[in-house]
Amino acid sequence: MAKIPKYLLNLAGEYRICSELNKRGVFATITYGNRKGVDVYAISDRQERALKIEVKTAQQGKFVTSITQKGLDKNRTDSPDFWVLFQILPGQNAKFEERFFILTHEEICGVQKRRNKEWQKEFFKRHGRRFDIKSMGVDQVRAKDVESFEDQWAKIIKRFTNRITPHA
């Protein structure tokens, strides 16, 4: 089966993540426009809480995150609450194999930092100099780097059920 075109792949990922969250009882909707800061909002029933979710969809074993290039490796208020990495691989008879990796923003930053450090080490071995990822590269993580986060939907759902109750 041929690869899904990039513009359709990104939409498929965002709608698929919304579908998974809606199936699990969390209202989720994609955001539209070319100036959006996040892909999906998950909104609580009473609309007192909204979570920002960044979706990255890939048809191979790596996900482009651009965390360092966007400055998201810093503790910023506009950072997503969660990242969902969605791997979609063509299978037999026009079916797809799907994998979901759910990480908090802190977790993805840690994974990205380790991946960059490992990559820097290999680059230095090959070229005898450091590579400036901020100016020349694009951050990526491999599916192998995030396998321990597979199908951890409960993290997002738990954020809606952990309400602080006032003292009597």
Side-chain angles (χ1 to χ4, degrees):
M1 176 176 268
K3 289 201 173 222
I4 302 168
K6 186 172 175 33
Y7 74 97
L8 288 176
L9 180 70
N10 293 336
L11 281 173
E14 291 170 9
Y15 279 107
R16 188 69 178 91
I17 299 321
C18 287
S19 173
E20 283 298 314
L21 287 168
N22 285 316
K23 284 187 337 188
R24 288 169 166 75
V26 174
F27 173 70
T29 183
I30 66 169
T31 60
Y32 295 96
N34 60 358
R35 297 185 67 160
K36 64 185 187 173
V38 70
D39 296 316
V40 170
Y41 281 107
I43 303 166
S44 68
D45 286 342
R46 293 188 292 184
Q47 299 174 351
E48 79 251 356
R49 181 178 292 177
L51 298 174
K52 298 176 287 190
I53 301 171
E54 184 70 23
V55 176
K56 296 297 177 187
T57 307
Q59 296 180 85
Q60 69 279 351
K62 61 185 173 185
F63 302 90
V64 175
T65 66
S66 303
I67 289 174
T68 306
Q69 293 75 34
K70 292 178 181 176
L72 294 174
D73 53 340
K74 312 289 185 268
N75 190 8
R76 296 175 19 175
T77 57
D78 61 340
S79 297
D81 298 299
F82 290 94
W83 291 65
V84 179
L85 309 180
F86 175 47
Q87 185 180 38
I88 182 168
L89 302 169
Q92 300 292 330
N93 301 322
K95 293 188 179 190
F96 294 93
E97 179 186 332
E98 300 178 332
R99 295 177 78 190
F100 302 93
F101 308 97
I102 297 86
L103 298 89
T104 65
H105 182 67
E106 294 78 22
E107 289 168 337
I108 191 79
C109 286
V111 169
Q112 187 65 71
K113 187 176 183 177
R114 287 187 296 279
R115 164 90 341 254
N116 288 357
K117 191 174 184 176
E118 188 177 311
W119 195 89
Q120 283 282 6
K121 200 161 120 180
E122 291 300 316
F123 184 88
F124 188 82
K125 256 195 247 185
R126 288 190 311 270
H127 303 284
R129 63 180 171 89
R130 280 187 50 79
F131 180 81
D132 184 9
I133 190 87
K134 288 184 181 181
S135 65
M136 296 177 64
V138 179
D139 285 331
Q140 299 177 9
V141 296
R142 301 176 304 186
K144 182 176 142 187
D145 299 330
V146 294
E147 283 181 331
S148 63
F149 300 97
E150 190 163 6
D151 290 324
Q152 291 188 2
W153 294 104
K155 286 182 196 177
I156 296 173
I157 295 162
K158 188 177 179 181
R159 288 288 279 277
F160 287 119
T161 59
N162 280 348
R163 293 188 177 93
I164 298 171
T165 54
H167 295 287

